[in-house]
Amino acid sequence: MAASGETAAQGSHVGKKKTAPKRYWEGGDSGSGGGAPAPGPRGSKPKRNRTRQPAGAGEKQALSGREDPFLGPAPIPKERLQQFQRGERNDVASVSRARLKHTLAVAESSSELAVRQAARCHLLLQEDAGFLEGDEGEDTCIIAQEDIAEAVDITSGSKYFNLSLTQFGPYRLDYTSNGRHLLLGGRRGHVACLDWHTKQLLCEMSVMETVNDVKWLHSEAMFAVAQKKWLYVYDSQGVELHCIKKFNDVLRLQFLPYHFLLATASATGFLQYLDVSIGKEIAAINTKQGRLDVMTQNPYNAVVHLGHPTGTVTLWSPNQREPLVKMLCHRGAVRSIAVDRTGTYMVTSGLDRKLKVYDIRAFAPLQSYALPAGASFLSLSQRGLLCACAGDTVQVYQDVSSTPVQKPYMAHRVRGSVWGAQFCPFEDVLGVGHAEGFTSMIVPGAGEPNFDALEVNPYRSVKQRQEWEVKALLEKIQPELIGLEPAKLGELDQASIAQRHQERVQRLGFDPLAREKFKPRKKTKGRSSAGNMEKRKRKVAHEDQRELIQQTVEARAREKEEAKEVSPGQRSALDRFKK
């Protein structure tokens, strides 16, 4: 009976402890407990096995069993790297100072990394510049805007439109830097700004006096209007913010976005600069060239170009009272000037009916074209297309700087005489203001297809615009840095440094850099603090140059004695007054 009871107890579940089955993340068989670690006391952590396996023990191999033949990052073509290069590299090896050398090395490595990343990310820019191609034997200049609008998609076709504004024309216009908003200013006082993508009107008003020019400021929140007597600043709702009476009889406006400067050209011959971030006049220059009604800026170096009735073009900086460069471009008065965004080429037109292309780097003419009626307004696009307006005709040319052009790329006739024209940034659109209102033309291949959202973002929100405005103010460039060659700012004038050193040697009578400075010995027990070291240096500072100073004093005394010992025949009449 006892044996049978023991057998029954062994076969039953009474008195047995249940063992939990293994999970799939625990090694070994799920049903057996041989591979499970022994449970420790409650609350204690299991010890980890810190023994390392050989290098190739746990590595995964490819399914095919072959190694990757393309190890490391893909190579970048040199042409692509040169496309994103900005200036020349600094010669870090020639720098002697360790701290400056380290700073330059870090800056160069960061710049090289940025160039490589931009070159690699170029593959992600899938947008290409458009173009207009006619049928076999057909000139593209005879294709009408209506035909282009019907052939393209609905979104692109909506970019061709006309605003009939017959009461207050002719009109001048200006686009924002991101190409989203449009500002119109009628000669008879009508001012309006709108989001031309959605055709939403932001504000519209009549200033009840003559409007000579309009210009957006750093963002679409404010714009400036050159009215008959003074300069006014309004916000996007049409509220007057400022009336600047120091700027009177203004005819043309240009805004320098990286310097926050508003440059104005007046009928009295004055070129004035206004810092819109602090509301202060930076410079007022009397050009002494008469009425200034032709003005543009060089986007590369922020130098202002002015055209004069004498046929000359002058380049100005707020740091000098005289022009940086004065060029004789035409035999008659200059009517319009345009500069490309790289700062390489300048296009001018004059009353002599000539259209000339200049290389600003050499100040030499490259091409000269004779137009039947001359060009009253010029504008260059981001892709190098040139718009030339004469009367009520608008003509667009391709590659006017590299090859001689025989015929225009596109042509269009508006309803009235043209008073202003400008290409829209990042869009294949040309805005034309004329006597009958405003016309938006489609020009394939005019705009840059890809934009930098950190620099200019057409789709930014109000919060993004505010953040960008704060960063732009912090990175504002001072007007003292405006010059013909911005790259010269980072270079050193070695001749001037050597000349100043030589003058210092002559003034002191010894070379302070010839001998090494006294280095006090380091002492223990806190006696080598910075203050004690400087005190010990000052005690012996005069002893190093004492002998040289004495020699210099003796030499100067010897020169004076030699000067006094002059023969009697060489004495002058004034020597009797000397003691």
Side-chain angles (χ1 to χ4, degrees), residues 84-218:
F84 294 95
Q85 288 286 350
R86 296 295 182 267
E88 299 179 356
R89 298 188 61 180
N90 295 320
D91 189 6
V92 182
S94 62
V95 180
S96 59
R97 297 183 179 181
R99 189 170 184 179
L100 178 60
K101 188 174 183 178
H102 174 70
T103 303
L104 290 178
V106 172
E108 286 298 327
S109 62
S110 301
S111 177
E112 184 177 357
L113 177 62
V115 170
R116 290 185 173 275
Q117 287 182 345
R120 291 188 183 279
C121 294
H122 185 74
L123 298 174
L124 303 177
L125 304 179
Q126 301 179 359
E127 298 293 335
D128 295 330
F131 60 93
L132 183 64
E133 185 178 358
D135 296 334
E136 185 177 357
E138 181 185 11
D139 292 337
T140 56
C141 62
I142 64 174
I143 300 178
Q145 286 289 313
E146 289 78 7
D147 299 338
I148 298 176
E150 292 179 359
V152 297
D153 57 281
I154 298 177
T155 305
S156 300
S158 63
K159 296 176 183 178
Y160 169 67
F161 61 91
N162 291 281
L163 298 179
S164 180
L165 306 170
T166 59
Q167 297 182 359
F168 303 99
Y171 280 84
R172 292 191 66 87
L173 70 145
D174 184 44
Y175 288 99
T176 52
S177 58
N178 57 10
R180 186 61 188 257
H181 296 83
L182 172 65
L183 178 63
L184 297 174
R187 177 73 176 175
R188 300 174 187 174
H190 179 223
V191 178
C193 59
L194 67 152
D195 184 347
W196 70 273
H197 282 193
T198 60
K199 310 300 186 297
Q200 180 181 0
L201 186 65
L202 299 181
C203 77
E204 185 180 15
M205 60 183 175
S206 178
V207 298
M208 305 298 290
E209 61 178 347
T210 304
V211 172
N212 295 321
D213 201 0
V214 291
K215 181 64 63 176
W216 287 107
L217 297 185
H218 55 278

Side-chain angles (χ1 to χ4, degrees), residues 528-543:
S528 290
S529 62
N532 292 335
M533 298 279 277
E534 289 298 324
K535 288 179 182 179
R536 276 185 274 166
K537 287 180 182 180
R538 292 174 186 174
K539 288 180 181 179
V540 297
H542 63 283
E543 297 179 0

Side-chain angles (χ1 to χ4, degrees), residues 506 508-510 547-557:
Q506 293 178 0
L508 297 177
F510 62 92
E547 296 180 0
L548 297 175
I549 293 173
Q550 289 178 356
Q551 294 176 3
T552 305
V553 172
E554 292 175 0
R556 290 180 180 177

Side-chain angles (χ1 to χ4, degrees), residues 372-544:
S376 57
F377 291 97
L378 300 175
S379 179
L380 280 168
S381 73
Q382 293 177 323
R383 303 286 297 182
L385 299 184
L386 174 66
C387 164
C389 305
D392 60 347
T393 304
V394 180
Q395 295 179 342
V396 181
Y397 296 89
Q398 271 185 326
D399 300 331
V400 293
S401 58
S402 58
T403 57
V405 178
Q406 303 296 335
K407 56 185 178 181
Y409 171 60
M410 292 184 64
H412 183 67
R413 177 166 290 180
V414 295
R415 301 174 184 176
S417 59
V418 178
W419 207 55
Q422 183 181 351
F423 282 98
C424 181
F426 307 106
E427 294 285 351
D428 292 342
V429 170
L430 171 64
V432 181
H434 46 82
E436 298 296 324
F438 171 78
T439 299
S440 178
M441 296 173 49
I442 301 176
V443 183
E448 184 67 31
N450 302 290
F451 59 88
D452 186 0
L454 298 178
E455 180 69 19
V456 283
N457 186 6
Y459 309 103
R460 64 189 179 189
S461 61
V462 177
K463 184 66 175 179
Q464 291 174 333
R465 177 182 62 81
Q466 293 173 351
E467 293 290 338
W468 170 87
E469 188 172 357
V470 172
K471 293 180 180 179
L473 284 170
L474 294 175
E475 298 173 356
K476 185 182 74 168
I477 304 175
Q478 296 300 321
E480 290 81 8
L481 303 180
I482 297 177
L484 283 177
E485 298 182 6
K488 291 290 184 181
L489 296 173
E491 297 181 0
L492 294 177
D493 190 357
Q494 299 292 344
S496 299
I497 294 175
Q499 183 179 1
R500 287 198 300 268
H501 178 66
Q502 189 65 24
E503 292 177 355
R504 185 182 179 189
V505 170
Q506 293 178 0
R507 184 173 66 253
L508 297 177
F510 62 92
D511 190 357
L513 303 179
R515 294 180 57 184
E516 295 183 357
K517 295 183 179 180
F518 169 71
K519 295 182 179 179
R521 188 176 59 184
K522 187 176 181 180
K523 297 182 180 181
T524 57
K525 297 182 180 180
R527 290 177 292 175
S528 290
S529 62
N532 292 335
M533 298 279 277
E534 289 298 324
K535 288 179 182 179
R536 276 185 274 166
K537 287 180 182 180
R538 292 174 186 174
K539 288 180 181 179
V540 297
H542 63 283
E543 297 179 0
D544 294 339

Side-chain angles (χ1 to χ4, degrees), residues 19 22 26-27 32-48:
T19 57
K22 283 193 175 182
E26 298 175 356
S32 66
R42 187 174 184 180
S44 64
K45 295 183 179 179
K47 295 183 180 180
R48 297 181 180 179

